[in-house]
């Protein structure tokens, strides 16, 4: 089975979309184009030949075709049979993987991987959406409605229509990716420990400039402090203390470059009661002193 891994940070651009019924323009006419294609069968069967392989595709099944992959109808279909047909570009290109035995276990991770991208101090890495080149969906009516709206948007485009098309296509891809997880895993729900980790992150983001004690955090989270520390370290890859320090330094950098307050005042606003300790920690994290950072990042005064 061929699998596609699309980053959630990828840029999607819908090039063309339509709904097709019967044989006009499809049966025994070869098609190939430079974009990815999604075919969602609403009423089947559809008899589709992709390169040398002849497929019989039923209602609720979806196919992803690669750029320049030749395809056509190899047998007439009923006049009431039909499918949605979307051509789109992806940047960056999706990763492809293959499994000879037809399973996804060897080609896709069991669940979306977690990363420190949940933290405010790190850039988002994007979540990979895993999609099978051929798959069945139990949400075809919901997907069909989105594709109907997508086709209608293309026929009567208005301002920002490209954005709305991309949003609808992303929603379709997410529904398909979630359905694939549900088909192959008994419980695709995220573990409770990850939910707890997100709660910890939210608390630290809210109170990073305060002296939040271990007992106060235990009261807020209704968990032992040692357990909270272990959960946070497991998913974030760093300690809560280090994360809070990073948030405070991040805030101080902003204040140093955008305000004229003294360094002691900035240290206090960022959550540091001791300016000397703030200076040492700032240089350790940033590589220069607060004053050197300010001199480097302050905007030049306006020319008179």
């Amino acid at each position: 089975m061929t699998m596609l891994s699309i980053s959630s940070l990828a840029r999607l651009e819908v090039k063309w979309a339509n709904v097709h019924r019967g044989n006009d323009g499809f049966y025994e006419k070869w098609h190939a184009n430079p974009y990815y294609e999604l075919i969602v069968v609403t009423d089947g069967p559809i008899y589709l030949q992709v390169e040398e392989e002849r497929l019989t595709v039923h209602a609720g099944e979806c196919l992803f075709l690669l750029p320049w992959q030749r395809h056509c109808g190899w047998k007439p279909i009923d006049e009431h049979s039909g499918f949605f047909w979307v051509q789109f570009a992806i940047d960056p290109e999706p990763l492809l993987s293959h499994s000879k035995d037809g399973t996804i276990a060897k080609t896709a991770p069991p669940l979306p991987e977690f990363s420190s991208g949940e933290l405010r101090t790190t850039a988002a890495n994007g979540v990979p959406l895993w999609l099978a080149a051929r798959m069945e969906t139990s949400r075809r009516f919901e997907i069909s409605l989105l594709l109907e709206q997508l086709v209608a948007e293309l026929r009567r485009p208005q301002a920002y229509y490209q954005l709305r098309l991309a949003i609808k296509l992303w929603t379709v891809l997410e529904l398909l990716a979630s359905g694939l997880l549900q088909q192959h895993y008994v419980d695709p729900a995220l573990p409770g420990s990850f939910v707890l980790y997100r709660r910890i992150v939210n608390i630290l983001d809210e109170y990073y400039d305060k002296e939040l004690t271990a007992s106060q955090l235990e009261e807020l989270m209704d968990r032992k402090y040692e357990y909270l520390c272990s959960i946070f370290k497991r998913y974030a890859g760093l300690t809560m203390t280090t994360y809070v320090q990073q948030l405070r330094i991040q805030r101080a950098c902003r204040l140093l470059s955008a305000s004229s307050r003294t360094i002691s005042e900035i240290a206090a606003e960022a959550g540091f009661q001791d300016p000397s300790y703030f200076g040492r920690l700032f240089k350790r994290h940033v590589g220069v002193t607060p004053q050197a950072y300010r001199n480097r990042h302050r905007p030049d005064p306006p020319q008179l």
Side-chain angles (χ1 to χ4, degrees):
M1 177 184 294
T2 301
M3 299 288 298
L4 295 82
S5 176
I6 302 176
S7 170
S8 60
L9 299 181
R11 184 177 67 88
L12 295 185
E13 183 179 355
V14 176
K15 297 293 188 178
W16 178 86
N18 207 346
V19 59
H20 185 92
R21 290 201 175 275
N23 297 303
D24 292 342
F26 185 70
Y27 174 56
E28 291 189 333
K29 180 180 175 169
W30 284 99
H31 302 267
N33 70 82
Y35 305 113
Y36 288 86
E37 298 186 61
L38 169 62
I39 292 176
V40 178
V41 179
T42 53
D43 299 284
I46 300 296
Y47 305 104
L48 180 68
Q49 181 169 342
V50 181
E51 300 293 355
E52 303 301 322
E53 184 178 11
R54 289 187 170 185
L55 306 173
T56 300
V57 191
H58 299 278
E61 285 193 280
C62 308
L63 293 177
F64 284 94
L65 303 181
L66 305 182
W68 298 118
Q69 203 165 27
R70 296 173 69 246
H71 52 282
C72 73
W74 63 269
K75 180 180 177 180
I77 62 177
D78 185 84
E79 63 178 344
H80 300 295
S81 297
F83 54 91
F84 285 99
W85 196 352
V86 183
Q87 298 173 6
F88 59 99
I90 310 175
D91 183 28
E93 291 281 311
L95 299 176
L96 301 180
S97 57
H98 307 277
S99 172
K100 293 182 179 180
D101 60 5
T103 65
I104 71 170
K106 296 180 180 178
T107 55
L111 282 174
E113 297 179 352
F114 308 110
S115 73
S116 58
E118 298 288 333
L119 306 178
R120 289 186 182 180
T121 55
T122 56
N125 297 317
V127 176
L129 273 70
W130 285 91
L131 299 157
R134 180 176 181 177
M135 56 188 295
E136 185 176 357
T137 176
S138 60
R139 306 178 72 172
R140 64 186 175 105
F141 298 109
E142 187 175 354
I143 290 173
S144 294
L145 178 60
L146 286 165
L147 294 176
E148 283 180 7
Q149 295 170 351
L150 189 149
V151 170
E153 189 78 52
L154 267 175
R155 289 175 178 171
R156 296 181 298 276
Q158 299 180 22
Y160 302 117
Y161 77 98
Q162 299 98 330
L163 175 61
R164 291 191 293 274
L165 292 176
I167 291 172
K168 287 179 172 59
L169 182 56
W170 265 124
T171 305
V172 169
L173 297 183
E174 188 278 325
L175 289 172
L176 292 174
S178 296
L180 187 65
L181 281 179
Q182 292 172 1
Q183 291 172 21
H184 290 270
Y185 303 100
V186 176
D187 184 9
L190 300 180
S193 58
F194 180 74
V195 177
L196 179 61
Y197 161 67
R198 284 189 57 87
R199 289 180 57 204
I200 299 172
V201 172
N202 291 339
I203 291 294
L204 297 182
D205 289 345
E206 183 70 21
Y207 294 99
Y208 73 91
D209 57 343
K210 308 291 192 303
E211 291 299 331
L212 190 63
T213 65
S215 59
Q216 289 173 326
L217 188 60
E218 286 180 339
E219 185 176 352
L220 287 169
M221 302 297 299
D222 194 28
R223 297 288 194 283
K224 288 294 185 181
Y225 181 73
E226 292 75 13
Y227 178 66
L228 296 174
C229 288
S230 66
I231 291 296
F232 188 87
K233 181 70 178 292
R234 180 196 307 177
Y235 289 106
L238 70 164
T239 66
M240 288 191 287
T241 299
T242 300
Y243 178 55
V244 168
Q245 289 176 351
Q246 290 179 353
L247 282 173
R248 291 176 174 180
I249 295 297
Q250 194 177 60
R251 175 61 175 161
C253 286
R254 173 62 179 172
L255 293 172
L256 285 166
S257 61
S259 78
S260 57
R261 274 168 281 183
T262 67
I263 291 177
S264 295
E265 290 173 336
I266 288 174
E269 183 168 339
F272 295 99
Q273 302 306 315
D274 184 349
S276 297
Y277 174 68
F278 163 68
R280 293 194 301 272
L281 193 66
F282 188 95
K283 187 172 183 180
R284 186 193 310 166
H285 281 269
V286 182
V288 296
T289 65
Q291 186 60 54
Y293 183 91
R294 163 172 273 176
N295 294 339
R296 184 182 301 172
H297 292 86
R298 283 287 294 274
D300 295 330
Q303 299 295 323
L304 299 179

